[in-house]
C-alpha cells in the first residue's frame, strides 16, 4: 500500500484503546477522572483508624442479580472480582460493544491484581463455604468476567506486585499482535480491606506518615495507599479504524524485564530500568526524543524516585535538546498508589492527556529532591495545567524536521508510562495520539425529533440510566444528539424495562428525560414488528416526507417494493 496525501500507514503492531472505564476515589468515569486531574484535586483523606488513604466509597454495593449471582454467592466473592465485572461491562459499552454479542468470540481478559485482603479476612474468620473456592481465588478475578460473557480468548490474573496491571496491558497487546485474540479487556483492581496489609507496608517503610505522595520532591517519604480500578478495551488499530471505532489513543509498543540483581530483592536497579526503556522505544519504533510526557511510577520514596529519574534522564532526557526538558508527573499524587492497579491508572491518565492535548499537574511538588538533578537529567515535573508542548522542542525532531515539515505529515502526541514492581519486574509502554479519522459523510437528520431509548433491568435501573444520560448530555456540549440516539439504540444492551424520549434539541431532551419519558416493560419472548394492513387511518402521501428525509427508510421501502 502507498500512503496518500502524505499520511503515514497504520502500523501492523499498533493497538487501539477503544473503551475505558474507571472507579477511583472521586471519579466514577474517565471524564470525572480527567476533571479531577485537570483541577489538581487530591482524593486522599485520613481514615477513622488514623491512616491515610484514597478510599473508594460503597465498594460493598453490588447488583448480584445483574451478573447472575445469588446473594450468598456474591457475599462469598472478593469485591475485587465484583468490581472487575462492573468495569468490564462499562468499558465494553464505552467502546460501543454490546457485551452479549461477544459470547463465543476470541476475546481475552487480563487483570492485574496483587492483593487478597478479602481472602485473608474470610479465612481468618473461618467464613468459608461452597462458593469460597472460586470467590476467593485470585485467578477468578479474570476468569469470572470471561465466564459471565462467554469469552473464549486467554483469561488470566497477572501478579508482578505494583507493576501487575501495566504488565497485563503489555501481555494483552502482545496477544493481539500474535493473533491469540481479536479483542482484549484489561483491568487493574485494588481494594484495601484489611488493616494487616497496611501494617505490612508500613513496617516496610513504604508509607508516607504525612498522607501525601511527594513525587520527585525533597519531602519524599513514601506513598499513600489508594483503592479502585480501571479497565480498558483493546483491539488492533487497523481493525478499529475499519470498524469505525472511536480510538482514544494507540499503544505503539512496550517492554517488560526484571532487575535480576541489585542491592536487594526490593531495591530498584537503574541499569534494568534503562534497559526496559530502550527496548520499549525500539519495539515501538519511536525515538525517545519524540516523547513529550512520561507518567512516572513515581511513588515518592527515597530509594525509588532517584533511580527512576536517573534512568529516564539517561534514555529520554539526553535525547532532547538541552533546556527543553521532558515533562513528568504521577497520578499517585492525586488518587494514591493503587499498587497492583497503579500501572493502568497511569495508562488512563496518559491516554486522556494524549487524547485531550493537555498536561495536568502533578501535586505535592515544591522543591526538587536533592538526589535528583533535574536540570542535568533534562526532566521537569509538570506542576500546572498546560497545553501539550509544542512540536519543535526536541533534539530528535530537529534532526527529522525535513521529513515532518514540508511533507505535511501530522506529528502525533506521544507519551510513555512506567510501572515497577517491588520484586524488580519493570514495565514501560509507549502511547501515541490516535490517527485523524477519515472525513465522514455528513449525518442526515431524518426527523424533526429523535427517539432516544433507555433501558434497565429494573425500574430503578431505568431511572438511574436516564439520570446518567441526562448528566452526560448536560455536561457534554460537544455531543451530537444523532450520535447519542444511535448509540442508545444500537450499542447498548436492551433490557426489559424501557423508555423512549422524543426530542428535537438538547434542552428538550433534558426536560423530557426528567418529566415525560414514555416507559413500559417489554414482553419476555419474540420480536416485534409493525403491520400496515392498508385500511384505517392511512392518507394520501403518507410517508412521503420520511421517504425524502431518511435514507434508511427510503432504502428499506425500495427493498420491500
Amino acid at each position: 500500500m502507498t500512503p496518500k496525501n502524505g499520511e503515514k500507514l497504520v502500523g501492523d503492531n499498533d493497538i487501539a484503546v477503544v473503551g475505558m472505564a474507571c472507579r477511583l476515589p472521586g471519579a466514577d468515569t474517565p471524564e470525572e477522572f480527567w476533571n479531577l486531574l485537570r483541577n489538581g484535586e487530591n482524593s486522599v483523606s485520613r481514615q477513622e483508624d488514623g491512616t491515610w488513604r484514597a478510599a473508594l466509597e460503597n465498594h460493598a454495593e453490588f447488583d448480584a442479580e445483574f451478573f447472575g449471582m445469588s446473594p450468598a454467592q456474591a457475599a462469598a466473592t472478593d469485591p475485587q472480582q465484583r468490581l472487575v465485572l462492573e468495569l468490564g461491562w462499562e468499558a465494553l459499552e464505552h467502546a460501543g460493544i454490546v457485551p452479549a454479542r461477544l459470547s463465543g468470540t476470541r476475546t481475552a481478559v487480563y487483570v492485574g491484581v496483587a492483593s487478597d485482603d478479602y481472602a485473608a479476612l474470610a479465612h481468618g474468620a473461618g467464613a468459608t463455604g461452597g462458593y469460597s473456592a472460586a470467590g476467593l481465588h485470585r485467578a477468578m478475578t479474570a476468569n469470572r468476567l470471561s465466564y459471565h460473557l462467554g469469552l473464549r480468548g486467554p483469561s488470566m490474573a497477572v501478579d508482578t506486585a505494583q507493576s501487575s496491571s501495566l504488565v497485563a496491558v503489555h501481555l494483552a497487546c502482545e496477544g493481539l499482535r500474535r493473533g491469540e485474540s481479536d479483542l482484549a479487556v484489561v483491568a487493574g483492581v485494588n481494594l484495601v480491606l484489611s488493616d494487616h496489609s497496611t501494617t505490612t507496608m508500613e513496617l516496610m517503610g513504604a508509607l508516607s506518615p504525612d498522607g501525601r505522595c511527594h513525587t520527585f520532591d525533597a519531602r519524599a517519604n513514601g506513598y499513600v495507599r489508594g483503592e479502585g480500578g480501571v479497565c480498558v478495551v483493546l483491539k488492533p488499530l487497523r481493525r478499529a479504524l475499519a470498524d469505525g471505532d472511536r480510538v482514544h489513543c494507540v499503544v505503539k509498543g512496550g517492554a517488560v524485564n526484571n532487575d535480576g540483581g541489585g542491592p536487594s530483592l526490593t531495591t530498584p536497579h537503574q541499569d534494568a530500568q534503562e534497559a526496559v526503556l530502550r527496548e520499549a522505544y525500539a519495539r515501538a519504533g519511536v525515538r525517545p526524543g519524540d516523547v513529550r510526557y512520561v507518567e512516572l511510577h513515581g511513588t515518592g520514596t527515597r530509594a525509588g524516585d532517584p533511580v527512576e529519574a536517573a534512568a529516564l534522564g539517561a534514555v529520554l532526557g539526553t535525547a532532547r535538546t538541552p533546556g527543553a526538558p521532558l515533562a513528568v508527573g504521577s497520578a499517585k499524587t492525586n488518587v494514591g498508589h493503587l499498587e497492583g492497579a497503579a500501572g493502568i491508572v497511569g495508562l488512563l491518565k496518559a491516554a486522556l492527556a494524549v487524547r485531550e492535548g493537555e498536561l495536568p499537574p502533578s501535586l505535592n511538588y515544591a522543591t526538587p529532591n536533592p538526589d535528583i538533578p533535574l536540570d542535568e537529567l533534562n526532566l521537569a515535573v509538570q506542576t500546572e495545567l498546560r497545553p501539550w508542548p509544542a512540536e519543535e522542542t526536541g533534539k530528535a525532531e530537529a534532526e527529522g524536521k525535513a521529513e515532518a515539515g514540508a511533507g505535511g505529515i501530522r506529528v502525533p502526541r506521544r507519551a510513555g508510562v512506567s510501572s515497577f514492581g517491588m520484586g524488580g519486574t519493570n514495565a514501560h509502554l509507549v502511547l501515541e495520539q490516535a490517527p485523524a479519522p477519515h472525513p465522514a459523510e455528513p449525518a442526515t437528520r431524518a426527523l424533526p425529533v429523535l427517539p432516544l431509548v433507555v433501558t434497565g433491568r429494573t425500574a430503578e435501573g431505568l431511572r438511574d440510566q436516564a439520570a446518567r444520560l441526562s448528566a452526560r448530555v448536560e455536561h457534554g456540549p460537544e455531543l451530537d444528539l444523532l450520535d447519542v440516539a444511535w448509540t442508545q439504540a444500537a450499542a447498548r444492551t436492551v433490557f426489559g424495562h424501557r423508555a423512549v424520549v422524543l426530542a428535537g434539541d438538547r434542552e428538550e431532551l433534558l426536560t423530557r428525560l426528567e418529566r415525560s419519558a414514555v416507559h413500559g416493560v417489554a414482553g419476555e419472548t419474540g420480536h416485534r414488528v409493525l403491520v400496515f394492513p392498508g385500511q384505517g387511518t392511512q392518507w394520501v402521501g403518507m410517508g412521503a416526507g420520511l421517504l425524502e428525509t431518511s435514507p434508511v427508510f427510503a432504502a428499506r421501502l425500495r427493498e420491500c417494493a
Side-chain angles (χ1 to χ4, degrees):
M1 295 178 64
T2 304
K4 297 179 180 180
N5 302 322
E7 294 180 353
K8 291 183 178 179
L9 288 173
V10 175
D12 289 331
N13 290 327
D14 292 348
I15 303 299
V17 178
V18 297
M20 303 172 169
C22 71
R23 201 71 52 75
L24 296 167
D28 285 341
T29 66
E31 291 76 21
E32 290 180 2
F33 182 48
W34 180 241
N35 287 333
L36 180 148
L37 293 169
R38 291 185 81 253
N39 297 332
E41 296 174 7
N42 171 28
S43 298
V44 177
S45 62
R46 188 186 289 274
Q47 305 301 300
E48 293 182 359
D49 61 3
T51 63
W52 293 91
R53 188 162 75 248
L56 189 67
E57 297 181 1
N58 304 322
H59 57 68
E61 295 181 358
F62 179 68
D63 188 347
E65 183 183 359
F66 184 92
F67 293 102
M69 299 171 68
S70 68
Q73 186 179 13
T77 300
D78 190 330
Q80 294 181 138
Q81 292 188 31
R82 306 192 314 231
L83 182 53
V84 168
L85 286 174
E86 295 172 337
L87 290 172
W89 186 281
E90 292 174 13
L92 287 168
E93 288 211 326
H94 187 263
I97 299 171
V98 176
R101 295 176 187 167
L102 294 178
S103 181
T105 64
R106 298 192 316 146
T107 298
V109 177
Y110 297 82
V111 179
V113 55
S115 63
D116 53 6
D117 283 7
Y118 198 70
L121 289 173
H123 290 307
T128 57
Y131 294 120
S132 297
L136 303 179
H137 201 295
R138 199 179 301 174
M140 300 299 160
T141 314
N143 299 161
R144 192 178 291 277
L145 180 60
S146 297
Y147 168 77
H148 178 69
L149 298 179
L151 310 179
R152 298 292 177 85
S155 180
M156 65 188 75
V158 178
D159 183 1
T160 59
Q162 291 81 358
S163 59
S164 298
S165 58
L166 201 65
V167 172
V169 175
H170 175 73
L171 293 175
C173 291
E174 292 300 299
L176 289 167
R177 292 179 180 121
R178 290 193 300 269
E180 290 180 351
S181 55
D182 301 319
L183 188 76
V185 180
V186 191
V189 63
N190 186 62
L191 293 177
V192 180
L193 305 173
S194 167
D195 294 338
H196 296 295
S197 61
T198 298
T199 300
T200 299
M201 300 311 295
E202 190 173 19
L203 291 174
M204 185 182 179
L207 301 187
S208 169
D210 61 10
R212 293 291 181 269
C213 181
H214 299 286
T215 301
F216 280 22
D217 190 87
R219 297 166 292 170
N221 58 2
Y223 68 80
V224 183
R225 302 189 78 189
E227 294 184 296
V230 170
C231 185
V232 295
V233 179
L234 309 174
K235 69 193 308 186
L237 179 59
R238 284 188 184 275
R239 183 179 162 205
L241 295 177
D243 292 345
D245 294 328
R246 182 189 184 192
V247 178
H248 300 280
C249 79
V250 175
V251 181
K252 296 290 292 182
V256 173
N257 73 1
N258 191 272
D259 287 348
S264 73
L265 172 64
T266 58
T267 301
H269 197 281
Q270 181 180 334
D271 290 346
Q273 290 188 17
E274 287 186 27
V276 81
L277 291 169
R278 296 185 196 283
E279 185 176 357
Y281 287 95
R283 288 188 173 188
V286 172
R287 293 175 295 197
D290 287 348
V291 174
R292 291 292 180 274
Y293 175 76
V294 168
E295 175 65 15
L296 302 166
H297 179 63
T299 53
T301 56
R302 295 189 184 281
D305 281 8
V307 171
E308 181 173 12
L312 277 175
V315 179
L316 280 80
T318 57
R320 300 179 57 77
T321 302
L326 172 71
V328 298
S330 174
K332 293 177 179 65
T333 63
N334 303 92
V335 294
H337 187 353
L338 271 74
E339 297 164 348
I344 200 167
V345 173
L347 176 80
L348 178 60
K349 175 186 172 182
L352 291 169
V354 165
R355 187 187 77 183
E356 300 298 325
E358 291 183 315
L359 293 181
S362 191
L363 310 183
N364 310 325
Y365 178 83
T367 306
N369 186 322
D371 295 326
I372 302 178
L374 289 174
D375 291 341
E376 180 182 327
L377 297 172
N378 210 17
L379 307 175
V381 177
Q382 186 63 39
T383 58
E384 59 185 16
L385 176 68
R386 68 162 177 165
W388 196 267
E391 297 298 339
E392 294 77 22
T393 57
K395 181 169 68 175
E397 293 79 358
E399 296 168 355
K401 193 171 183 180
E403 172 193 347
I409 297 174
R410 181 185 68 127
V411 179
R413 297 186 283 266
R414 297 186 179 99
V417 184
S418 291
S419 191
F420 310 133
M422 68 177 181
T425 297
N426 309 309
H428 188 85
L429 296 183
V430 184
L431 308 185
E432 184 174 278
Q433 180 185 3
H438 293 292
E441 292 294 327
T444 301
R445 172 69 75 87
L447 299 169
V449 294
L450 287 171
L452 287 101
V453 183
V454 185
T455 75
R457 285 282 294 265
T458 63
E460 182 181 3
L462 180 64
R463 288 191 295 270
D464 288 345
Q465 287 299 312
R468 288 171 67 107
L469 176 61
S470 179
R472 182 69 183 95
V473 171
E474 183 177 3
H475 296 98
E478 78 286 354
L479 295 177
D480 183 274
L481 283 193
L482 188 60
D483 291 338
V484 175
W486 183 91
T487 299
Q488 290 297 115
R492 291 289 181 267
T493 301
V494 178
F495 297 112
H497 289 261
R498 303 175 190 177
V500 62
V501 175
L502 300 177
D505 56 38
R506 185 180 307 274
E507 289 69 25
E508 189 175 15
L509 172 60
L510 294 174
T511 299
R512 293 195 170 186
L513 274 172
E514 182 179 353
R515 300 176 186 173
S516 56
V518 178
H519 58 85
V521 181
E524 294 295 328
T525 60
H527 297 281
R528 303 294 182 265
V529 298
L530 297 177
V531 178
F532 299 91
Q535 296 180 2
T537 58
Q538 70 275 10
W539 61 88
V540 175
M542 179 178 178
L546 195 59
L547 184 65
E548 294 176 356
T549 59
S550 173
V552 175
F553 179 78
R556 291 297 176 265
L557 191 62
R558 285 193 298 270
E559 181 182 330
C560 292

